[in-house]
Amino acid sequence: MKPANAIPRISRAAKEILKGGLSAPICLTWEITYACNLSCIHCLSASGLKDPRELNTTQALALVDTFREMGVFYINIGGGEPTTRKDFLEILRHSDSIGIGVKFSTNGAFIDRDFASAIKGFRYTDIQISIDGPDQKSNDLVRGVGSYEKALRAMDTLKSYGNRSFKISVVATKSNVRELDDLYRLAKFYDAELRVTRLRPSGRGSLVFGDLNPSAEDNASLYHWLRLHPDVLTGDSFFHLSPLGSPLAGLNICGAGRVVCLVDPIGDVYACPFTIHETFRAGNISDPGGFREIWSNSELFRSMRSSNGPTSCQSCEAYQTCQGGCMSTKFFTGAGLDAPDPDCVLGRAQGPSLVEQVPRADLSHSKRVFITTRSEQTATN
Amino acid sequence: MIETTLRYRLADGVSIRKEPFGAISYNQLTRQLVLITGQGVLSVIEAMNAGECLASAMRLVEGDEVRSGMIDALNGLLSRGVLREAS
């Protein structure tokens, strides 16, 4: 039987400990490449084109060793599409051999029999297949023509070779929030866990956020659906919805710079995967002291660990459950970090600040594609 | 229930590390995260890893006066699957 969310809820005292930061991340996201065979319209890292400064194999393995020495428990590997790296299996093998867990996200395009066989014996490697709809029409609208078929083929391959259990990872959008039952059934068919996470206005998500972000009514429906399905993982994405009732399982805090962070393909370290912007860049692993020094002593992370949260939320009766919501969502919608979450369920969102310009996401790694939304047609790059 | 004559070790898939407040453990298999507040628990676990039974490990770490809090903490870790009896 697969475990339900193993962190039912944590005490207020434990939350305060975690908000003050840990000696090492509990986990971190490592985007190992910006290269991708797809161009999903909401890609939080705006991936597509490989960066020539991408860490090489030696640098990548050394970074894994650093994570292990620091006691990082597991790494969320993504991209881009991580399986496009020729040394990806080597990175996985090395990580597994030294006891560091890896959960990697993939669109499944390159998961074939050889790959499934190669990772069969890895003890602590989890696979997350990304899809965003329960059928081709719904999924391919967001992830591109042919992507659903590729993802299903990967799942069939993993199931056929009895490899291991895997997860289906979905970003909740206005389009699919009413299709969660179908997605749940799809996951059960494959004996997979379902993981549903929040859409952020990061990367290319910034271009489509207005069209894809769930409405208040959608969010309420989503919250209640998650409460009815405690075996669905959320990556701690939805603590901003907790004031709708009891908190969902998870840490229910913003862990950025405190218990998690992001390392990007060129070794830049950011507060979290949804904040790829200079404002949230803490350093590069090539800086003196490397990742360890950045984690322990960077000015950005120190300030995050001493922060008391958004000032406008402090007096709200719901603050202890929602913690003022998601920093990335506030930042990239122009609401400002001291404001409530733009999706505040108590209706206290303030909208974009009239004083500051809405920050622009870095789209420099995107391929030139046309994104059709209901309101406009936008070319990236 | 913890037996001080026995030796215990981290359960399969569990990693643990020191923190200023005590220690934190994570189980790769169940995704369970446990915060361990208070000093000494990690040292006791490390002593058992080195071959000591629980009673000896606690004496090494705490001397002759064993705090009931230590026993409670270890019982908690046993019941949560962080520790298991060493074969």
Side-chain angles (χ1 to χ4, degrees), chain A residues 115-143:
Chain A
F115 186 92
S117 299
I119 65 171
K120 204 164 186 173
F122 292 177
R123 293 168 300 162
Y124 306 131
T125 297
D126 281 352
I127 307 169
Q128 293 175 175
I129 307 284
S130 299
I131 63 169
D132 288 309
D135 52 45
Q136 184 176 333
K137 182 181 173 189
S138 174
N139 176 82
D140 288 6
L141 194 68
V142 174
R143 300 183 65 82

Coordinates of all heavy atoms in Angstrom, one line a residue, chain A residues 115-143:
Chain A
F115 N 15.9 2.3 -20.7 CA 16.0 3.2 -19.5 C 15.3 2.5 -18.3 O 15.8 2.5 -17.2 CB 15.3 4.5 -19.9 CG 15.4 5.5 -18.8 CD1 16.5 6.5 -18.8 CD2 14.5 5.6 -17.8 CE1 16.6 7.4 -17.8 CE2 14.7 6.6 -16.8 CZ 15.7 7.5 -16.8
A116 N 14.1 2.0 -18.6 CA 13.4 1.3 -17.5 C 14.2 0.2 -16.8 O 14.2 0.0 -15.6 CB 12.0 0.8 -18.0
S117 N 14.9 -0.6 -17.7 CA 15.7 -1.7 -17.2 C 16.9 -1.1 -16.4 O 17.3 -1.7 -15.4 CB 16.2 -2.5 -18.3 OG 15.1 -3.1 -19.0
A118 N 17.4 0.0 -16.9 CA 18.7 0.5 -16.3 C 18.4 1.0 -14.8 O 19.3 0.9 -14.0 CB 19.2 1.7 -17.1
I119 N 17.2 1.5 -14.6 CA 17.0 2.1 -13.2 C 16.2 1.1 -12.3 O 15.8 1.4 -11.2 CB 16.2 3.4 -13.3 CG1 14.8 3.2 -13.8 CG2 17.0 4.4 -14.1 CD1 13.9 4.4 -13.7
K120 N 16.1 -0.1 -12.8 CA 15.3 -1.1 -12.1 C 15.8 -1.3 -10.6 O 15.0 -1.5 -9.7 CB 15.3 -2.4 -12.8 CG 14.1 -3.3 -12.5 CD 14.0 -4.4 -13.6 CE 12.7 -5.2 -13.3 NZ 12.4 -6.2 -14.4
G121 N 17.1 -1.4 -10.5 CA 17.6 -1.7 -9.1 C 17.8 -0.5 -8.2 O 18.3 -0.6 -7.1
F122 N 17.5 0.7 -8.7 CA 17.8 1.9 -7.9 C 16.9 2.0 -6.8 O 15.6 1.9 -6.9 CB 17.7 3.2 -8.8 CG 18.8 3.3 -9.8 CD1 18.8 4.4 -10.7 CD2 19.8 2.4 -10.0 CE1 19.7 4.6 -11.7 CE2 20.8 2.6 -10.9 CZ 20.7 3.6 -11.8
R123 N 17.4 2.1 -5.6 CA 16.6 2.0 -4.4 C 15.7 3.2 -4.1 O 14.6 3.1 -3.7 CB 17.5 1.8 -3.2 CG 18.2 0.4 -3.1 CD 19.3 0.5 -2.1 NE 20.3 1.6 -2.3 CZ 21.1 2.0 -1.3 NH1 21.0 1.5 -0.1 NH2 21.9 3.0 -1.6
Y124 N 16.3 4.4 -4.3 CA 15.6 5.6 -3.9 C 15.3 6.6 -5.0 O 15.4 7.8 -4.8 CB 16.5 6.3 -2.8 CG 16.8 5.4 -1.6 CD1 18.1 5.3 -1.2 CD2 15.9 4.6 -1.0 CE1 18.5 4.5 -0.1 CE2 16.2 3.8 0.1 CZ 17.5 3.7 0.5 OH 17.8 2.9 1.5
T125 N 15.0 6.0 -6.2 CA 14.7 6.9 -7.3 C 13.2 6.8 -7.6 O 12.7 5.7 -7.8 CB 15.5 6.4 -8.5 OG1 16.9 6.6 -8.3 CG2 15.1 7.2 -9.8
D126 N 12.6 7.9 -7.6 CA 11.2 8.0 -8.0 C 11.0 8.8 -9.3 O 11.7 9.7 -9.6 CB 10.4 8.8 -6.9 CG 10.1 8.0 -5.7 OD1 10.3 6.8 -5.7 OD2 9.6 8.6 -4.7
I127 N 10.0 8.3 -10.1 CA 9.8 9.0 -11.4 C 8.5 9.7 -11.3 O 7.5 9.1 -10.8 CB 9.7 7.9 -12.5 CG1 11.0 7.0 -12.5 CG2 9.6 8.6 -13.9 CD1 10.9 5.8 -13.4
Q128 N 8.4 10.9 -11.8 CA 7.2 11.7 -11.9 C 6.9 12.0 -13.4 O 7.7 12.7 -14.0 CB 7.3 13.0 -11.1 CG 7.4 12.7 -9.7 CD 7.6 14.0 -8.8 OE1 7.6 14.0 -7.6 NE2 7.8 15.1 -9.5
I129 N 5.9 11.4 -14.0 CA 5.5 11.6 -15.4 C 4.6 12.8 -15.4 O 3.6 12.8 -14.7 CB 4.8 10.4 -16.0 CG1 5.6 9.1 -15.8 CG2 4.5 10.7 -17.5 CD1 6.8 9.0 -16.7
S130 N 5.0 13.8 -16.1 CA 4.2 15.1 -16.2 C 3.1 15.0 -17.3 O 3.4 14.8 -18.4 CB 5.1 16.3 -16.5 OG 6.1 16.4 -15.5
I131 N 1.9 15.1 -16.8 CA 0.8 15.3 -17.8 C -0.1 16.4 -17.2 O -0.1 16.6 -16.0 CB 0.0 14.0 -18.1 CG1 -0.7 13.5 -16.9 CG2 0.9 13.0 -18.8 CD1 -1.6 12.3 -17.2
D132 N -1.0 17.0 -18.0 CA -1.8 18.0 -17.5 C -3.3 17.8 -17.9 O -4.1 18.8 -17.8 CB -1.3 19.4 -17.9 CG -0.1 19.8 -17.1 OD1 -0.1 19.7 -15.8 OD2 0.9 20.1 -17.7
G133 N -3.6 16.6 -18.3 CA -5.0 16.4 -18.7 C -5.2 14.9 -18.8 O -4.2 14.2 -19.1
P134 N -6.4 14.4 -18.6 CA -6.7 12.9 -18.6 C -6.8 12.3 -20.0 O -7.0 11.1 -20.2 CB -8.0 12.8 -17.9 CG -8.7 14.1 -18.1 CD -7.6 15.1 -18.3
D135 N -6.7 13.2 -21.0 CA -6.8 12.7 -22.4 C -6.0 13.6 -23.3 O -5.5 14.7 -22.9 CB -8.3 12.7 -22.9 CG -9.0 14.0 -22.7 OD1 -8.4 15.1 -23.0 OD2 -10.1 14.0 -22.2
Q136 N -5.8 13.2 -24.5 CA -5.0 13.9 -25.5 C -5.4 15.3 -25.7 O -4.6 16.2 -25.7 CB -5.0 13.1 -26.8 CG -4.0 13.7 -27.8 CD -4.0 12.8 -29.1 OE1 -4.3 11.6 -29.0 NE2 -3.7 13.4 -30.2
K137 N -6.7 15.5 -25.8 CA -7.2 16.9 -26.1 C -6.9 17.8 -25.0 O -6.3 18.9 -25.2 CB -8.7 16.8 -26.4 CG -9.3 18.1 -26.7 CD -10.8 18.0 -26.9 CE -11.4 19.4 -27.1 NZ -12.9 19.4 -27.1
S138 N -7.1 17.4 -23.8 CA -6.9 18.2 -22.6 C -5.4 18.5 -22.3 O -5.0 19.6 -22.1 CB -7.6 17.6 -21.4 OG -7.4 18.3 -20.3
N139 N -4.7 17.4 -22.4 CA -3.3 17.5 -22.1 C -2.5 18.3 -23.2 O -1.7 19.2 -22.9 CB -2.7 16.1 -22.0 CG -1.2 16.1 -21.7 OD1 -0.7 16.3 -20.6 ND2 -0.4 16.0 -22.8
D140 N -2.7 17.9 -24.4 CA -1.9 18.5 -25.5 C -2.1 20.0 -25.7 O -1.3 20.7 -26.2 CB -2.1 17.7 -26.8 CG -1.5 16.3 -26.8 OD1 -1.0 15.9 -25.7 OD2 -1.5 15.7 -27.8
L141 N -3.2 20.5 -25.2 CA -3.5 21.9 -25.3 C -2.5 22.7 -24.5 O -2.1 23.8 -24.9 CB -4.9 22.1 -24.6 CG -5.6 23.5 -24.9 CD1 -6.0 23.6 -26.3 CD2 -6.8 23.6 -24.0
V142 N -2.0 22.1 -23.5 CA -1.0 22.8 -22.6 C 0.5 22.3 -22.9 O 1.4 23.1 -22.9 CB -1.3 22.5 -21.1 CG1 -0.2 23.0 -20.2 CG2 -2.6 23.1 -20.7
R143 N 0.6 21.0 -23.2 CA 2.0 20.5 -23.3 C 2.4 20.2 -24.7 O 3.5 19.8 -24.9 CB 2.0 19.2 -22.5 CG 1.7 19.4 -21.0 CD 1.8 18.2 -20.1 NE 3.2 17.7 -20.1 CZ 4.1 18.2 -19.3 NH1 3.8 19.2 -18.4 NH2 5.4 17.8 -19.4

